[in-house]
Amino acid sequence: MYVGALTLDILLGDVRSLKQKRSVVRPIVAEVQRRFPGVAVGETGHLELHRRTEIGIAVVSATAANCEQVLDDCERLVAGRPEIELLSARRRLHSDDED
């Protein structure tokens, strides 16, 4: 069993309040959940900043290759949104053999 984790550090566009930030972040999280129902996704960092956010995505799979593919697809989906700039993507892959 493999667990893949992806952390996306994102710069938001013209956002001046936390309310505006939510109106940008929620649709991104919802689209990832809709397109990839097997992943867990949510805002995980920069919660008090208006123009920055961190989105965490996790997936569990029987193969490392499938984990990597799903994380690649999720990263591409988020990075393709015109209203944001993806600053960095950090990835980790764990296997139950690592205990």
Side-chain angles (χ1 to χ4, degrees):
M1 190 70 58
Y2 292 87
V3 177
L6 177 64
T7 304
L8 304 172
D9 189 9
I10 296 170
L11 178 64
L12 304 174
D14 187 27
V15 173
R16 293 190 167 86
S17 70
L18 292 176
K19 185 176 180 179
Q20 281 183 319
K21 177 184 180 177
R22 282 192 306 275
S23 73
V24 173
V25 173
R26 279 186 181 161
I28 294 171
V29 169
E31 184 175 6
V32 172
Q33 287 174 327
R34 182 182 61 77
R35 295 270 306 269
F36 305 97
V39 305
V41 60
E43 186 176 12
T44 57
H46 304 305
L47 300 176
E48 299 301 320
L49 300 176
H50 297 158
R51 296 200 59 223
R52 292 278 296 275
T53 191
E54 181 182 272
I55 293 178
I57 300 171
V59 62
V60 176
S61 177
T63 67
N66 187 57
C67 264
E68 291 289 344
Q69 183 63 51
V70 171
L71 294 178
D72 284 345
D73 292 346
C74 289
E75 182 179 341
R76 242 188 320 278
L77 176 68
V78 173
R81 305 227 9 153
E83 70 274 20
I84 62 108
E85 179 182 344
L86 182 59
L87 299 176
S88 71
R90 293 180 312 279
R91 188 181 291 229
R92 292 179 57 151
L93 187 64
H94 303 279
S95 115
D96 56 0
D97 297 334
E98 294 175 359
D99 293 336

